[in-house]
Amino acid sequence: APGATISIGAQNGSDGELLVREQGLFDSTNPVYLGGTSSVAGGVGDLIARNGGVVSVADQIKVWGQGTLEADGGTVTADQIVTTSGSTLRVAGDGSIGTTALNLAAGTNLDLRRGELAVVGPGASFLTGITNIAYGSTAGEPTIRLQDVIANVTNWQLGIGSGELARTVVTGEQGN
C-alpha cells in the first residue's frame, strides 16, 4: 500500500528474516527497515537474496545495528541504502547489491566475499565513515563499482583476501 513501510525485526527482542531465493521476487515501492523501524532500532532483521532471488526496493533500505542485508547469489537493488553502526552488508556467491545512494555509518560491517557492490549514477552518492570492510576470499574476487558518483569517504580500512593477504590492511584518510 502507498505510504506503508516494511519492518523486519522491528521490536526489541524480535528475530525476523525474509529470504528470497531461486527466482523469487520481493518488490516494494515502500521503505524497508531491517532490525528496527523508520526511527528506532529493534531486534534482529535480515533480508537475503539467495541463489537467483531478487529484491527490488524503489525507496530506502535502512539497516539497523542488528540488521543484515545480504546478496548471496541473488540481486538486491534499492534507491538508497543507509546503515547504522553494527549493521552488516554482505555480498557472496556472485551476488550483487546496487543503489544510487549508499550511506555507510561508522561501524558498519561491509563483508564482500564474491560479487559486486555497485553505486551507479548519474548523481549517485557514496558516503562512509569508519567502516570495517572484509574484502575477498579464496573463493573469488568481489568488486566495488562506483560510477558517476560524488563520494565522501573518510577513515576507512580495507582488509584484502584471506590467509597471508588477510593481514594486509589499506587505510584511507580521504578520497573522492
Side-chain angles (χ1 to χ4, degrees):
T5 61
I6 299 163
S7 296
I8 301 169
Q11 302 299 317
N12 247 345
S14 65
D15 191 347
E17 177 182 275
L18 175 58
L19 174 62
V20 182
R21 61 188 179 138
E22 298 170 5
Q23 310 312 315
L25 171 66
F26 173 77
D27 189 13
S28 177
T29 58
N30 300 314
V32 175
Y33 303 101
L34 306 177
T37 66
S38 62
S39 59
V40 65
V44 175
D46 301 333
L47 177 54
I48 303 165
R50 183 169 289 147
N51 297 334
V54 175
V55 172
S56 176
V57 178
D59 204 308
Q60 177 188 80
I61 297 175
K62 184 167 187 174
V63 189
W64 287 95
Q66 293 190 76
T68 299
L69 178 60
E70 179 176 340
D72 182 1
T75 302
V76 175
T77 58
D79 285 353
Q80 180 182 38
I81 298 172
V82 176
T83 67
T84 64
S85 182
S87 63
T88 300
L89 293 186
R90 181 175 298 121
V91 179
D94 290 324
S96 69
I97 294 178
T99 185
T100 55
L102 180 62
N103 188 343
L104 301 175
T108 297
N109 299 299
L110 187 54
D111 183 1
L112 302 176
R113 299 177 189 191
R114 183 175 177 160
E116 179 179 70
L117 174 64
V119 184
V120 179
S125 63
F126 175 66
L127 307 171
T128 185
I130 301 170
T131 300
N132 305 311
I133 304 176
Y135 186 84
S137 70
T138 55
E141 298 178 10
T143 302
I144 299 175
R145 180 166 55 106
L146 305 178
Q147 181 179 325
D148 298 325
V149 172
I150 300 167
N152 180 1
V153 180
T154 57
N155 300 319
W156 52 272
Q157 288 192 331
L158 175 60
I160 301 172
S162 60
E164 288 297 314
L165 289 176
R167 291 192 279 263
T168 303
V169 176
V170 179
T171 302
E173 291 297 320
Q174 286 187 313
N176 291 324

